[in-house]
Amino acid sequence: MKSFFYPENVVVIGVSEKPTNMGQMIVQNLIRGGFPGQVHAVGPSGGVIMGRPIRKSVKDIIFPLDLAVIMTPAVTIPLLMRECGEAGIRRIVIESAGFSEFSDDRKGLEQELLDVAKEFDIRFVGPNCIGVLNMENGLLTPFVPLEGNPIPGTVSVLSQSGGVALSYMDYLRFEALHSNKVTSMGNKLNVDESDLLEYLVNEDKGTEIICMYLEGFSNATRLMQIARQSRKPIILHKSGIGKSGAAMAASHTAALASDDKVVDAALAQAGIIRVRSTAQMMNYVRIFKLPPMKGRSLAIVSRSGGHGVIAADTAELNGFVLPPFPKEELARIREHVRGGIINLQNPMDLGDLFDLSIYEDVAQMILSNSQIDGMILVHTYGEAESEESHHLIKIIKELSEKHGKPVALCLMVDDQERAYLKQNFDFPIFKTPEYAANALKASRKLYMYRQKQIDFIPFEKQIDMDAAQQIVDKAVKKNRNPSQAECFDILKLYGLPVPAYQWVQSKAEAVTAATEIGMPIVLKVDVPAIIHKSDVGGVVLNLKTPEAVGAAFDALENKLHDLMGPADRFAALVMEQVVVDGKEVILGVNQDETFGPTLLFGLGGVFAEFLKDVSLRVVPLNRNEVMGMIQEVKGFKALTGARGQKPVDLDVLADNLLSLAQLARDFTQIKEIDLNPVLVNYEGAWVLDVRFLL
Amino acid sequence: MKSFFYPENVVVIGVSEKPTNMGQMIVQNLIRGGFPGQVHAVGPSGGVIMGRPIRKSVKDIIFPLDLAVIMTPAVTIPLLMRECGEAGIRRIVIESAGFSEFSDDRKGLEQELLDVAKEFDIRFVGPNCIGVLNMENGLLTPFVPLEGNPIPGTVSVLSQSGGVALSYMDYLRFEALHSNKVTSMGNKLNVDESDLLEYLVNEDKGTEIICMYLEGFSNATRLMQIARQSRKPIILHKSGIGKSGAAMAASHTAALASDDKVVDAALAQAGIIRVRSTAQMMNYVRIFKLPPMKGRSLAIVSRSGGHGVIAADTAELNGFVLPPFPKEELARIREHVRGGIINLQNPMDLGDLFDLSIYEDVAQMILSNSQIDGMILVHTYGEAESEESHHLIKIIKELSEKHGKPVALCLMVDDQERAYLKQNFDFPIFKTPEYAANALKASRKLYMYRQKQIDFIPFEKQIDMDAAQQIVDKAVKKNRNPSQAECFDILKLYGLPVPAYQWVQSKAEAVTAATEIGMPIVLKVDVPAIIHKSDVGGVVLNLKTPEAVGAAFDALENKLHDLMGPADRFAALVMEQVVVDGKEVILGVNQDETFGPTLLFGLGGVFAEFLKDVSLRVVPLNRNEVMGMIQEVKGFKALTGARGQKPVDLDVLADNLLSLAQLARDFTQIKEIDLNPVLVNYEGAWVLDVRFLL
C-alpha cells in the first residue's frame, strides 16, 4: 500500500484543455500541493496543461511510471488499465463513476477491471472515488478544487464516500488537528479498507489516529483481526443502518448493509470505537491526542457553579465518579481564595477568581493525586484575561503530559478566540463539558479494552469431527434439515448437556425407549419437515406409563398423517423429562453474511418474547467476551440468585456458549442454530429443545 | 415582573471608587449598555464613579427610585432593603452571595430578607445572582464585565446559575440569535422561575422563545400550569441529576433535587422541551426559529452521497420517514442533471452539480409537495461558489416561509464563512445533519403536543369524600397506616374494582365471612404494623372449606402472637379468591416532594422485578396521558393479546388509573399507595392487594 502514498511520479489519465475537465483539476491539485515528483498528463485530445504537454497515451511517456490516476468514462477504463499495465504501472487510482453503484449491469465492466489487474499484478483504488491524498508529500489527487495548503497532521482517513472524506479533511483542518493520509475508497473493488487499515496500523509512521467512514464492509473478519492488534485508536462511522440510508448506500457505493446490532458487537470486540456523527468523530480525535483515561475517577473544576453542576451530571451519565479531594490539600488552596465563600469540593467551583494562577495550583494538586485519573476544566474568559488564560493552557498541557493523565479543557469563548487557540496551541479544546465527558468515556473504553484484551484460547475439547460431519452430510445430501435426534447427536459430540433421548420409529420402540430412559418422558414428533413442533401439537409432556407412551405415539403418528399424508415416514424422539428448577435461557447461532458465525444469548419467557433482550458476539471469541455477553442482557439479575434462589452456574453457561461457538465455526453450512430453551441452575444446564437450519 | 425589566431608573447599592469594587462594574455596564434612565450609585465611602456622585445612602437621593441593585456583604442587606423600602423602592435585585447556598445557618438571614420584603411589599430577585438584563433598553446589571453591545433578539433566558446565564447569552450572540431578556435567579428566595416565566409567556412582547437552566424547582406545579398554556417554546436544561451534581447544586444555589424520571414525565406533560446540554439548547433554539415540523415525512437533499446516507440514517433514528418523490417531478429535475449518473430518490444525492439553481428547483418541488413536511439540505461549498450559495440560502428561506415548512440547512463550511453567514442571514444554520434531525424531532414533538393537548376533564365519579376522610382520619389519629380492610374500603369508595372481602377478628367471624363470600377464599393477616404480609407468611391462599378457614385463622393468629406478642389485637381479611386468567400489573402513587402526587404504572413479574419497567405521570392528568403511560412501558405488548390471548381491556385500566389519580389528589397525606398486583384481562380488573403509607 505504501506505493499508493509515496509514488516517485504520477500520471493523470483523462486530462484535456476544456475548462470543465476534471482531470485538469487533479493535475492542478498535485502541483499546487507541492508534490515533489514528476506529474504527467494524458488525454486523447492532447494539448498543454499548466505548461505540461498532454500526451495522447501513457505509451507516449518514456519515463518509468509509478502511479496512474484515471478519470475517464467508465467504459474506457479496461483498455486504459491494460495500457498502464503494459507501461509497467502497478498502482492505479480510478476515480470515474458509472460502475455497480450506478447499475447492476455494470458488474461485467467491474469484472474486466479485476481481470486486467490480475493479469498485470496491478492494485487499484476505486472506482467511484475522489482518490488518495498524502499531506506529507503533497500527493493530492481529487478532481475537485481543494482549499488551503496541505499541513501534515497525525490523523489518517479511510472513507467509502468521497464527500465524507473531504469533509473529514476540512473538519480536521478547521480544528487544526490536520490529516496525514486520506483515502476515498469508492467501490473498493480491489483495494479495500482492510488493505489500507493494515498499512496505516502496522507500517505508516505518520499515522497515529485513524478515522473511518464505511457504508458496508468488504472483509469484516480481516478488518476485525487487524483492528484487534492495533495500538493506534480506530474510530469508525458506520452508516446505512436505516432503511432509506441503506437504499442510498446501495446506490451510492453498492454497500452491503448488515444487521446493525451485529455490527455494534463486532466493532466492540475488535476495539474499534464506533461513532454516530461527524461531530462525535472529531470529539474523539481530540481525546485521543491526550494520555488515556485509565480509571473512573474524575476531577471537575469550573469557574461557574452552574457549569460545574452540568459537568458533574454529564460525567456521571458517562460512568465516572467524582472522589472528594484531600482536606489538607484543600486547606492550602483555600488560603488563596478570597472571602471563603466558595465550597471546595469535587466538582470544584472556583467562582469569580481573578488570579488564574490558583488554577495551576489546583491542577497540580489534582493531577499528582494518585486517586484521580483525569480532569475536566471548564474555563471562560474575555479579552482582559486572554493572556493569563493562554499561559494557563500552556501549563495545563505540560501538567497533563507530565502526569500522563488527560485534561479535557472546555473553553467557552467566542469564535475568534477559539480560532486563535486552535491555530496556536497543540492541545485539544472541547466545546462543552458534555462533549468532554463523552470523549473521556471513549478514552477509558479503549484503555480498558487493551488492558483486558487476551488472545483466543484454542478450543480444548476433543471433538469427533468426522462423526459430526457425517450427520451434517447426510442431511445435506437429502436436502433437508437435520432431525432433532441428529441435532442432539451433534450437540453431544460437542459436549453440550443433552438429556437422555432415543429416536424411535414405532410404538414398540417408543415404549422400550421410555422404559430404558426412565419415566416420566417427553414424546416429540421428529420429522425434519416440521420445524415448529409445538404449533402442530407435536410435543407431549409428562408421560408416566408405557400405556401412556404408546397411546401418545399413536396419536402423534395419526396427527402427522392427517397433516402431511401417510407417505411420510413417521419418527419421534423419546426424551428424559427434566424435572429440576431453573431459569430458561436461549443459546443461538446465526451465520451473518458480513461477519460470519454470530453467537446469541438471551433469557427465555417475556425477556425473549416482548423485550428482544439478547446479546450478540461474533465468533471466534474468548471466555471474557462470553462472560460479557451473559452479563450484558437486561435480565442478567434473574440469573444471579434473586428472591433467595441459588445463583445459576455461569461457568457452565459460558462453557456451553464456547462449545456452541466452536460448532458454529466448524460447520458454517448450518445457517441457524436455536437451543431454546436451555434450562440452567446452580448445578448445571440442560438443552431441552434444539433446531438446526441448513 | 415588567418593572424589573423596564424601570425608569436604577440605583446601584454597594459602589466604591476601589478598582476591585463590583458595584462599580454594574454602573459601568448600565451606562455602556445605553440604559436610557437615570443611574444612581450608593456606597458608604462616597466618592465619584463615571462622573456620578456616590451617595452614602438611598435616603440621600431626592428623586423617586424604581429599581435597586444591591451588591454588598450579605449581613448588611436587611437594613439596606429596609432603607430601599422606606425610599419607596418596590423592586430589588440582590446579587450578593453568602446565603443558604453557603451555609445552612444563613437561613435566618434569608428570612429577614423575606420579612422586610413583606413589610414593604417589595419583590426581589436573588440573592446570589448576577442580575437582570434587558437587551431592548440596555438594562445590564451583572457585576462582571460584559462583552459586545446589547443587540435585542427574541430569545429570553431564565437561569438559576449566573455563569450559565452568561454563557447562554454568549452562545446566542455567537450564533447571531441574540437574547432579549436574561435573568440570573440565584437562590430564588422571592421571585422564582414561575413568576418570571408567566411574565415572559403571557405578557412580554419581545420574547418568542424561552431558554431555562434550573438546578431545582421552586413551585413545580405552578411552573407546569404556566407552561401548559404557553404558545412560546420553552426549552429547559434541568441539571443536578447525578449525585455529585446534586451535591454541588445544593451548595451552589440550595437546589432541591427531585427524582429525575419524575422530572422527565412532568416536563413532557407540560410541553417543556428538556435538553441535556448547552449545545442541544442552542440547536433547539435554531429549529424554533423555523415553521413547525408537522408530520413524519422528511426530504433529504445533499451534494454528497455519503452525507445523504448519514442524514437519512439519523433522520430514521429520530423517527422520520423518507417518502419517494413523484416520478414526473423527478423527470423534470433529471433534465438538468449532467450525464444522469445520479439516482434521484429520497435521500437525493445531487452530486457534483455546478449549477446551484437546480437546488432551488428541487426545494420548490419538495416544499410544494403536500406529502412532505420538512426538509434537510446538506450543502458544502468553497470560496468560488460562495455568492451562488448565498443566493441559494436567501431562496431557501423564502420557500420555507412561503410553504410554512422547516428547512434545516446544514452547511459544511469553514469558521470564517460560518461567522459571515451568522451575521448576514437571519436564517438558522445547523452544524451537521445529526443536529438537524434531532432538532426537527423536537419541533415535531412540540407541534404534536399542542395538537393533542386537551384540558383536564373534571373527575366524573361521585365520591363519598366524607366516608373516605373518616377512614383516613382514624388512621392518622391512631398514628398508624390504614389496615388493608380500610384501604379496600377507600378504593371501593373511589370505584376501584375490589374483590369481595370482610374484616374479621375471630375464627367464627372468619368462617362466617368465608361462607358468605363463597369459597375458595384467601386469608390475610390485617394488622397495620405488618407491612410485608407475605414475608411473615401472613397470606394463605385457596381455602376451600370452613374447617380449613378456621385452622388457617388459628395458625395465623398464633404466628402473629409469636412474632409481636399477645398484646396486639389480631385481625384478618377474608377475601374472595379471584380465579380468572389475566396479567398482573402494578398501579401506584407517590407524593413527590417537588411535583406532588405522581402516578405509577407497570407490569408485574420480571418486568417490575428485574427491569424496573414503569411509567410515571404527574397528577392531575387527562385520559390521553393515562393511555400514554400504559403504552409507554416496554412490556406493553404483553397486554395487547400476544400468543393468541385476548387483549386486556385498556379502557378499564385507564379508568382505574384515573380514579387512583383522583384519590392521590384528594388525600395528599397518603404518601404512598401500592396496588400490587392488580389482575387485568379482557373482561375487567381486580385489585388483589393494596398498601397505603401515611
Side-chain angles (χ1 to χ4, degrees):
Chain A
M1 291 298 112
K2 187 175 181 182
S3 32
F4 276 109
F5 298 101
Y6 296 96
E8 299 276 317
N9 53 60
V10 180
V11 55
V12 182
I13 302 173
V15 184
S16 82
E17 285 183 343
K18 274 196 290 180
T20 56
N21 172 259
M22 291 179 172
Q24 215 176 85
M25 190 55 71
I26 302 175
V27 175
Q28 278 181 21
N29 281 329
L30 282 163
I31 290 167
R32 287 193 187 143
F35 177 67
Q38 291 257 318
V39 178
H40 304 280
V42 166
S45 316
V48 176
I49 170 83
M50 295 187 91
R52 285 163 170 72
I54 303 174
R55 308 288 178 186
K56 301 218 166 172
S57 161
V58 286
K59 292 185 278 191
D60 300 341
I61 303 173
I62 52 167
F63 307 100
L65 292 170
D66 227 20
L67 176 73
V69 180
I70 304 181
M71 184 63 185
T72 64
V75 290
T76 66
I77 295 178
L79 185 62
L80 291 170
M81 272 184 80
R82 177 167 293 278
E83 288 181 5
C84 287
E86 285 162 355
I89 300 173
R90 295 294 171 259
R91 295 292 178 268
I92 304 181
V93 176
I94 304 171
E95 304 194 1
S96 324
F99 290 86
S100 65
E101 87 286 356
F102 174 58
S103 155
D104 270 347
D105 57 24
R106 298 287 175 95
K107 294 253 182 203
L109 193 60
E110 289 190 343
Q111 190 54 50
E112 284 186 59
L113 264 50
L114 290 169
D115 292 344
V116 178
K118 196 169 178 193
E119 185 178 341
F120 290 96
D121 202 19
I122 290 170
R123 298 300 310 265
F124 66 90
V125 169
N128 183 29
C129 72
I130 58 147
V132 161
L133 301 92
N134 183 355
M135 304 303 156
E136 290 181 8
N137 60 3
L139 178 82
L140 310 180
T141 67
F143 56 83
V144 295
L146 297 176
E147 313 243 333
N149 289 320
I151 301 173
T154 58
V155 186
S156 287
V157 174
L158 296 179
S159 169
Q160 196 162 343
S161 150
V164 173
L166 288 176
S167 55
Y168 280 8
M169 262 174 68
D170 284 346
Y171 279 119
L172 288 168
R173 187 163 49 86
F174 301 160
E175 296 289 318
L177 293 164
H178 297 300
S179 45
N180 188 288
K181 294 180 180 64
V182 178
T183 311
S184 153
M185 301 179 290
N187 293 7
K188 307 188 292 187
L189 209 51
N190 177 277
V191 168
D192 69 14
E193 65 270 29
S194 298
D195 298 320
L196 290 157
L197 186 68
E198 189 172 46
Y199 167 69
L200 295 175
V201 160
N202 297 330
E203 283 186 56
D204 186 46
K205 293 205 171 59
T207 299
E208 290 174 11
I209 298 171
I210 297 147
C211 297
M212 297 179 80
Y213 171 77
L214 288 179
E215 290 164 4
F217 295 94
S218 292
N219 181 341
T221 307
R222 186 170 160 224
L223 188 77
M224 285 178 68
Q225 276 164 355
I226 296 164
R228 261 185 122 106
Q229 307 303 329
S230 174
R231 304 307 297 173
K232 302 176 184 175
I234 302 167
I235 317 169
L236 168 63
H237 186 172
K238 162 71 178 70
S239 75
I241 53 182
K243 271 172 296 166
S244 305
M248 191 169 182
S251 98
H252 182 49
T253 37
L256 183 75
S258 53
D259 182 2
D260 203 57
K261 273 188 159 180
V262 181
V263 175
D264 266 346
L267 296 180
Q269 283 178 263
I272 296 174
I273 307 287
R274 185 176 191 178
V275 295
R276 303 281 176 180
S277 73
T278 309
Q280 207 182 12
M281 172 75 79
M282 293 304 138
N283 193 43
Y284 286 0
V285 169
R286 281 185 206 108
I287 205 71
F288 289 124
K289 302 283 280 184
L290 295 176
M293 182 73 186
K294 292 182 182 165
R296 290 180 66 211
S297 295
L298 190 64
I300 291 174
V301 177
S302 87
R303 198 171 197 179
S304 130
H307 291 127
V309 171
I310 291 175
D313 266 11
T314 191
E316 286 178 31
L317 283 175
N318 282 286
F320 294 109
V321 293
L322 279 64
F325 300 125
K327 284 204 176 126
E328 55 278 22
E329 299 269 11
L330 287 180
R332 215 166 48 71
I333 300 292
R334 196 180 301 273
E335 287 167 21
H336 299 276
V337 182
R338 179 165 57 137
I341 290 211
I342 288 144
N343 264 328
L344 294 175
Q345 48 181 356
N346 189 9
M348 186 182 287
D349 170 9
L350 285 180
D352 48 352
L353 265 181
F354 291 101
D355 178 6
L356 294 190
S357 69
I358 293 173
Y359 276 94
E360 296 178 28
D361 291 350
V362 167
Q364 172 67 43
M365 170 195 95
I366 287 171
L367 294 174
S368 57
N369 180 342
S370 63
Q371 303 299 308
I372 305 272
D373 304 302
M375 176 175 169
I376 293 180
L377 176 58
V378 188
H379 183 50
T380 172
Y381 60 91
E383 237 177 284
E385 290 179 312
S386 70
E387 202 176 314
E388 257 193 299
S389 296
H390 295 169
H391 177 72
L392 176 64
I393 298 171
K394 207 174 128 272
I395 300 289
I396 290 291
K397 183 182 180 209
E398 286 168 14
L399 286 172
S400 169
E401 283 166 6
K402 182 181 156 199
H403 295 283
K405 294 177 183 177
V407 180
L409 192 60
C410 307
L411 296 181
M412 305 200 166
V413 294
D414 65 20
D415 286 1
Q416 204 183 342
E417 175 68 9
R418 187 172 293 276
Y420 175 84
L421 294 172
K422 284 176 195 169
Q423 298 309 322
N424 292 281
F425 291 88
D426 184 24
F427 193 70
I429 294 161
F430 292 83
K431 286 191 186 162
T432 64
E434 296 87 347
Y435 274 107
N438 187 247
L440 284 167
K441 181 185 178 185
S443 175
R444 177 159 183 263
K445 194 172 158 191
L446 185 59
Y447 179 80
M448 294 288 289
Y449 175 82
R450 286 178 179 167
Q451 288 307 108
K452 72 175 184 186
Q453 195 189 359
I454 50 170
D455 279 339
F456 304 118
I457 295 161
F459 193 64
E460 285 162 8
K461 289 185 202 159
Q462 290 300 316
I463 310 292
D464 183 348
M465 285 278 288
D466 288 344
Q469 188 71 57
Q470 275 175 26
I471 299 169
V472 173
D473 286 349
K474 189 172 152 197
V476 169
K477 209 170 125 194
K478 294 195 175 170
N479 196 25
R480 59 162 174 83
N481 292 317
S483 72
Q484 178 141 157
E486 288 168 334
C487 295
F488 276 129
D489 291 345
I490 293 175
L491 294 184
K492 259 169 88 172
L493 290 169
Y494 275 83
L496 283 148
V498 176
Y501 62 91
Q502 287 187 31
W503 190 66
V504 297
Q505 287 180 289
S506 71
K507 185 173 171 176
E509 280 178 21
V511 171
T512 312
T515 312
E516 282 173 22
I517 289 170
M519 282 169 270
I521 60 104
V522 182
L523 189 70
K524 302 179 184 188
V525 168
D526 193 15
V527 175
I530 295 190
I531 291 173
H532 298 284
K533 294 182 297 293
S534 304
D535 292 355
V536 297
V539 179
V540 188
L541 297 169
N542 209 23
L543 298 170
K544 294 177 184 166
T545 63
E547 294 71 32
V549 172
F553 187 93
D554 283 343
L556 281 186
E557 184 165 22
N558 289 334
K559 185 181 280 180
L560 190 85
H561 284 169
D562 288 349
L563 209 65
M564 312 190 67
D568 257 69
R569 182 83 184 268
F570 181 74
L573 199 74
V574 175
M575 206 173 94
E576 170 193 357
Q577 176 146 337
V578 177
V579 287
V580 301
D581 256 358
K583 297 279 173 191
E584 288 191 353
V585 297
I586 300 170
L587 277 52
V589 165
N590 184 45
Q591 298 287 345
D592 187 86
E593 278 188 49
T594 305
F595 291 96
T598 307
L599 198 61
L600 175 147
F601 172 74
L603 271 78
V606 294
F607 291 102
E609 191 176 359
F610 299 112
L611 303 171
K612 314 285 172 231
D613 177 25
V614 296
S615 58
L616 297 167
R617 293 291 185 277
V618 171
V619 174
L621 78 180
N622 60 40
R623 201 179 182 86
N624 268 358
E625 290 169 285
V626 166
M627 276 297 181
M629 79 185 290
I630 296 172
Q631 287 161 10
E632 186 183 295
V633 295
K634 295 192 198 81
F636 173 63
K637 265 193 287 179
L639 300 179
T640 57
R643 294 203 157 186
Q645 295 166 332
K646 288 192 193 174
V648 160
D649 188 334
L650 298 181
D651 281 326
V652 165
L653 193 51
D655 279 341
N656 289 329
L657 279 160
L658 283 168
S659 299
L660 189 61
Q662 187 61 34
L663 170 57
R665 282 189 89 180
D666 292 341
F667 291 96
T668 52
Q669 64 267 63
I670 308 176
K671 294 300 173 213
E672 287 178 40
I673 301 177
D674 267 354
L675 312 192
N676 179 16
V678 177
L679 201 65
V680 287
N681 69 14
Y682 63 100
E683 287 181 310
W686 295 264
V687 179
L688 300 191
D689 205 354
V690 61
R691 194 172 75 190
F692 286 12
L693 295 183
L694 291 182
Chain B
M1 292 297 112
K2 188 175 180 182
S3 30
F4 276 108
F5 298 101
Y6 295 96
E8 298 277 317
N9 53 59
V10 179
V11 55
V12 181
I13 301 173
V15 183
S16 83
E17 284 184 345
K18 274 197 290 182
T20 58
N21 171 258
M22 289 179 175
Q24 213 176 87
M25 189 55 71
I26 302 174
V27 175
Q28 278 180 23
N29 280 330
L30 282 164
I31 290 165
R32 287 193 188 144
F35 177 67
Q38 291 256 323
V39 177
H40 304 281
V42 166
S45 317
V48 174
I49 170 82
M50 295 188 90
R52 286 162 168 71
I54 303 175
R55 309 287 178 185
K56 300 220 167 171
S57 160
V58 286
K59 291 185 280 191
D60 301 340
I61 303 173
I62 51 164
F63 307 97
L65 292 170
D66 227 20
L67 176 73
V69 180
I70 303 182
M71 184 64 186
T72 64
V75 289
T76 66
I77 295 179
L79 186 62
L80 291 170
M81 271 184 79
R82 177 168 292 280
E83 289 180 4
C84 287
E86 286 162 355
I89 300 173
R90 295 292 171 264
R91 295 292 178 269
I92 303 181
V93 176
I94 304 171
E95 303 195 1
S96 324
F99 290 86
S100 66
E101 87 285 355
F102 174 58
S103 156
D104 271 347
D105 58 24
R106 299 286 175 96
K107 294 252 184 203
L109 193 59
E110 289 190 344
Q111 190 54 50
E112 284 186 59
L113 265 48
L114 289 170
D115 292 343
V116 179
K118 196 169 176 191
E119 185 179 340
F120 291 95
D121 202 18
I122 289 171
R123 299 300 309 266
F124 67 91
V125 170
N128 183 30
C129 72
I130 57 147
V132 161
L133 301 93
N134 182 356
M135 303 303 157
E136 290 181 9
N137 60 4
L139 178 83
L140 309 180
T141 67
F143 58 82
V144 294
L146 297 176
E147 313 244 331
N149 289 320
I151 301 172
T154 57
V155 186
S156 287
V157 174
L158 295 179
S159 170
Q160 196 162 344
S161 150
V164 173
L166 288 176
S167 56
Y168 280 9
M169 261 175 68
D170 284 346
Y171 279 118
L172 287 168
R173 187 163 48 87
F174 301 159
E175 296 289 319
L177 292 164
H178 298 299
S179 44
N180 188 288
K181 295 182 178 64
V182 178
T183 310
S184 153
M185 301 179 292
N187 292 7
K188 306 188 294 185
L189 209 52
N190 178 278
V191 168
D192 69 15
E193 63 271 28
S194 297
D195 298 320
L196 290 158
L197 186 68
E198 189 172 45
Y199 167 69
L200 295 176
V201 161
N202 297 331
E203 282 186 56
D204 185 46
K205 293 204 172 58
T207 300
E208 290 174 12
I209 298 171
I210 296 146
C211 297
M212 297 179 80
Y213 172 77
L214 289 179
E215 289 165 3
F217 294 94
S218 291
N219 181 342
T221 307
R222 186 171 159 224
L223 187 78
M224 285 178 68
Q225 275 164 355
I226 297 164
R228 259 185 124 108
Q229 307 302 329
S230 173
R231 303 306 296 174
K232 301 175 184 176
I234 302 167
I235 318 169
L236 168 63
H237 186 170
K238 162 72 178 68
S239 74
I241 53 182
K243 273 172 295 170
S244 306
M248 191 169 181
S251 99
H252 182 49
T253 38
L256 182 75
S258 53
D259 182 5
D260 203 57
K261 272 189 162 180
V262 181
V263 175
D264 265 346
L267 296 181
Q269 283 178 265
I272 296 174
I273 306 287
R274 184 174 192 181
V275 295
R276 303 281 176 178
S277 73
T278 309
Q280 207 182 11
M281 172 76 79
M282 293 304 138
N283 193 43
Y284 286 1
V285 169
R286 280 184 207 110
I287 205 71
F288 289 124
K289 303 282 280 184
L290 295 176
M293 182 73 185
K294 292 182 183 166
R296 290 180 66 211
S297 295
L298 189 64
I300 292 173
V301 176
S302 86
R303 199 172 196 177
S304 130
H307 291 127
V309 171
I310 291 175
D313 266 11
T314 192
E316 286 178 31
L317 284 174
N318 282 286
F320 293 109
V321 293
L322 280 64
F325 301 125
K327 284 204 176 126
E328 55 277 20
E329 299 268 11
L330 288 179
R332 218 167 44 74
I333 300 292
R334 195 181 301 274
E335 288 167 22
H336 299 277
V337 182
R338 183 167 53 140
I341 290 211
I342 289 143
N343 264 329
L344 294 175
Q345 48 182 357
N346 190 8
M348 186 183 286
D349 170 9
L350 284 180
D352 48 353
L353 265 181
F354 290 102
D355 179 6
L356 293 190
S357 69
I358 293 172
Y359 277 94
E360 297 178 26
D361 291 351
V362 167
Q364 172 66 43
M365 170 195 95
I366 287 172
L367 293 174
S368 56
N369 180 342
S370 63
Q371 303 299 308
I372 305 272
D373 304 302
M375 176 175 170
I376 293 180
L377 176 58
V378 188
H379 184 50
T380 171
Y381 59 91
E383 237 176 286
E385 290 179 312
S386 70
E387 202 177 312
E388 256 193 299
S389 295
H390 295 169
H391 177 72
L392 176 64
I393 298 171
K394 208 175 128 273
I395 300 289
I396 290 292
K397 184 183 179 207
E398 286 168 14
L399 287 172
S400 170
E401 283 165 7
K402 182 181 156 198
H403 294 284
K405 294 177 184 178
V407 180
L409 193 60
C410 307
L411 296 181
M412 306 199 166
V413 294
D414 65 20
D415 285 1
Q416 203 182 341
E417 175 68 10
R418 187 174 292 276
Y420 175 86
L421 294 173
K422 285 177 195 168
Q423 297 308 321
N424 291 279
F425 290 89
D426 183 24
F427 193 69
I429 294 161
F430 293 83
K431 285 191 187 162
T432 63
E434 296 87 347
Y435 274 107
N438 187 248
L440 285 167
K441 182 185 178 184
S443 175
R444 178 160 182 261
K445 195 172 157 191
L446 184 59
Y447 179 81
M448 294 288 289
Y449 175 81
R450 287 180 179 168
Q451 287 307 107
K452 71 175 185 186
Q453 195 190 357
I454 50 170
D455 279 341
F456 303 120
I457 295 160
F459 194 64
E460 286 161 9
K461 287 185 202 159
Q462 289 301 316
I463 311 291
D464 184 348
M465 285 278 289
D466 288 344
Q469 187 71 57
Q470 276 175 26
I471 300 170
V472 173
D473 286 349
K474 189 172 155 197
V476 170
K477 207 169 128 194
K478 294 195 177 171
N479 196 25
R480 59 161 174 83
N481 291 317
S483 71
Q484 179 142 155
E486 289 168 334
C487 294
F488 276 129
D489 290 345
I490 294 176
L491 294 185
K492 259 171 86 175
L493 290 169
Y494 276 83
L496 283 149
V498 177
Y501 64 91
Q502 288 188 32
W503 190 68
V504 297
Q505 287 180 288
S506 71
K507 185 174 171 175
E509 280 178 20
V511 172
T512 310
T515 313
E516 283 174 19
I517 289 169
M519 282 170 269
I521 60 105
V522 181
L523 190 69
K524 302 179 183 188
V525 168
D526 192 14
V527 175
I530 295 188
I531 290 173
H532 298 284
K533 294 180 297 293
S534 305
D535 291 357
V536 297
V539 179
V540 188
L541 297 170
N542 210 23
L543 297 170
K544 293 177 184 166
T545 62
E547 295 70 32
V549 172
F553 187 93
D554 283 342
L556 280 187
E557 184 165 20
N558 290 334
K559 187 181 279 179
L560 192 85
H561 284 168
D562 289 348
L563 210 66
M564 311 191 66
D568 257 68
R569 182 82 183 271
F570 181 75
L573 199 73
V574 175
M575 206 173 92
E576 171 193 357
Q577 175 146 336
V578 178
V579 287
V580 301
D581 257 356
K583 297 280 172 190
E584 289 191 352
V585 297
I586 300 170
L587 277 52
V589 164
N590 184 45
Q591 297 288 346
D592 187 86
E593 278 188 50
T594 304
F595 291 96
T598 307
L599 198 61
L600 174 147
F601 172 73
L603 271 78
V606 294
F607 291 102
E609 190 176 359
F610 298 112
L611 303 171
K612 315 283 173 234
D613 177 24
V614 296
S615 58
L616 297 167
R617 291 292 184 280
V618 171
V619 174
L621 78 180
N622 60 39
R623 199 178 184 87
N624 267 358
E625 289 169 285
V626 167
M627 276 298 180
M629 80 184 289
I630 296 172
Q631 287 161 10
E632 186 183 295
V633 296
K634 295 190 200 80
F636 173 63
K637 264 192 287 178
L639 301 179
T640 57
R643 293 203 157 186
Q645 295 166 333
K646 288 193 193 173
V648 160
D649 188 335
L650 297 182
D651 282 327
V652 165
L653 194 50
D655 280 340
N656 289 329
L657 279 161
L658 283 168
S659 300
L660 188 62
Q662 187 61 34
L663 170 57
R665 282 189 89 179
D666 292 341
F667 292 95
T668 51
Q669 64 267 63
I670 309 176
K671 294 301 172 212
E672 286 179 42
I673 302 178
D674 266 354
L675 312 192
N676 180 16
V678 177
L679 200 64
V680 286
N681 69 13
Y682 62 99
E683 287 182 310
W686 295 263
V687 181
L688 299 191
D689 205 354
V690 61
R691 196 172 74 190
F692 287 11
L693 295 184
L694 291 181

